[in-house]
Every structure is written in C-alpha cells, then in structure tokens.
Amino acid sequence: MGKKAGGFQALGLDAQLLKGVLGMYGQPTPVQRAVLPAALEGRDVACMARTGAGKTAAFLIPLLQHVTRSRRKDEPPAATVLSPTRELALQTYKFATKMGKFCVGVDGERFSQCPLVGGESIEGQFNALAKRPAVLHATPGRLAHLLEEAPSSLITLAQCRLAVFDEADRLFEMGFALQLQQLLRAMAPSRQTLLFSATMPRALAQFARAGLKDDV
C-alpha cells in the first residue's frame, strides 16, 4: 500500500500496529494529524478537542508504538491510561485491545493490557496483574489503592514511561488531582505524558504546566 500523504502509512508505525490501525480507520482525523507526529517522536502533548474528534486513537497509537518498541515479557507496565470513569476505562481498554491485537514487544512476544477499575474484585485484579500486563487502563482511585495494597512485586509504575490523562478536565472536576500527582510520582521521571481534554479549566492548566515537559 502506498504512503498516502498525511495518512497512517506515512507515520513510520510498526507493521503489526499499522495493520491494526488500518483495520479500524481509513485516514487520520484532523486531531490525529496534529497530535501523532509529535507524540510518536516522544514529545509531551496537551490536546484540547471536542468529544468525537478522534482523541482516543491519537493517544493509543503512540502508546502502542512505544510498547512494541520497549516492552519485554514479564517486565512491569510500560504505559498507563488514566480515565475519570469505570465505563470510559473499560471502553478504552477494549478499543486498545482491538487496535493492538497484532502487536508484539521487542522480544517478539505478545503483550497484554489490563483494566483496573472500581466495582471489580480486588482479588481478580491481583490475578490480572500477576500476568504482567504491558498497559494499564485505570481509574485513578483504584490504581492508587492497588499501589498501596499490593506488593511491589505485583505492581509497580517505576518502568511506566508513557502516561495518558484521558478526559483530563473530568479527572479534575471529579477531585482526582492529588491521586494523579501520587501516581505520577510513582512513574519513571523520564516518562512521556499525553493529556487530552475537552476543556482547559484553570486547575488543569496549572497541573499541565507543572507536569508536562517541553510540550506541544
């Protein structure tokens, strides 16, 4: 397939990821065209766009590319997506699993993704973490609770080098700011951060200025 100008084929995606993306999308949306080149370079990104603009793929594509190029079997999670609600986290998890169904890590091994949300059994989530997922799709409250309750041999964010805040304005409206700061402190200092929001209230803008490095 030719590299259409501005198409997904021109982004230098790994072949397995490109196959998954093209199974779901034809051409990038304007938000994806704006975000993907910088995010794939490893830059921090703050994106404000309306619902339905294609923000989910704009962060999942760089996230899955990062994991395919860095992940080895049995390592701690390499990336985390934080969502304000259980429903959104589960929806994003399903979307990401479909997009990444052909992806493998640098050692050629398939990697798994894991939802960590409230309303589910803690025991079941311990069992899911024992399978060493590469990507966590979590609500902040449940992830913070698991970090406090589970041994570090089961869950650590120390090697998490890509963090996504999905619907960041709602994360702040729902009072998760302190938990978000706690989770960021647990992640690798050199992480890449992608922040996606429909609006940019003052508290979120202040958080973004403190938490993002050289962002676009």
Side-chain angles (χ1 to χ4, degrees), residues 28-66:
T29 67
V31 164
Q32 291 159 9
R33 288 182 199 276
V35 166
L36 286 171
L40 287 164
E41 284 178 5
R43 298 281 302 275
D44 284 4
V45 172
C47 173
M48 192 170 72
R50 61 177 174 76
T51 301
K55 295 195 291 287
T56 303
F59 64 73
L60 285 181
I61 290 171
L63 180 148
L64 291 169
Q65 177 90 324
H66 166 74

Side-chain angles (χ1 to χ4, degrees), residues 14 16 67-69 100 102-111:
D14 285 10
Q16 313 101 307
V67 175
T68 59
R69 292 187 173 179
F102 304 111
C103 291
V104 295
V106 291
D107 52 8
E109 296 282 345
R110 286 280 172 92
F111 57 81

Side-chain angles (χ1 to χ4, degrees), residues 6 25 32-33 35 75 84 91 121 135 172 182 184 188 207 215:
Y25 286 96
Q32 291 159 9
R33 288 182 199 276
V35 166
E75 288 184 339
Q91 178 184 315
S121 152
V135 183
F172 270 72
Q182 173 191 349
L184 283 179
F207 175 84
D215 58 290

Side-chain angles (χ1 to χ4, degrees), residues 44-45 163 165 172 180-181 184 188-195 203-215:
D44 284 4
V45 172
F165 296 95
F172 270 72
L180 296 178
Q181 290 164 349
L184 283 179
S190 58
R191 72 183 177 275
Q192 178 185 8
T193 306
L194 307 177
L195 187 150
L204 177 56
Q206 289 171 342
F207 175 84
R209 279 199 297 272
L212 304 183
K213 304 179 295 289
D214 188 30
D215 58 290

Side-chain angles (χ1 to χ4, degrees), residues 108-193:
E109 296 282 345
R110 286 280 172 92
F111 57 81
S112 65
Q113 305 184 55
C114 174
L116 298 174
V117 299
E120 301 290 335
S121 152
I122 289 280
E123 190 69 32
Q125 292 179 347
F126 280 3
N127 292 337
L129 288 168
K131 296 175 183 175
R132 312 299 279 177
V135 183
L136 305 178
H137 296 269
T139 49
R142 177 52 60 97
L143 183 54
H145 180 67
L146 286 166
L147 282 178
E148 290 173 358
E149 295 295 322
S152 59
S153 59
L154 191 62
I155 180 170
T156 174
L157 300 182
Q159 291 188 41
C160 182
R161 291 190 171 84
L162 194 152
V164 176
F165 296 95
D166 188 18
E167 298 201 5
D169 46 354
R170 291 181 64 198
L171 284 169
F172 270 72
E173 286 163 7
M174 293 170 71
F176 287 124
L178 288 175
Q179 287 166 329
L180 296 178
Q181 290 164 349
Q182 173 191 349
L183 294 171
L184 283 179
R185 284 195 297 270
M187 296 181 189
S190 58
R191 72 183 177 275
Q192 178 185 8
T193 306

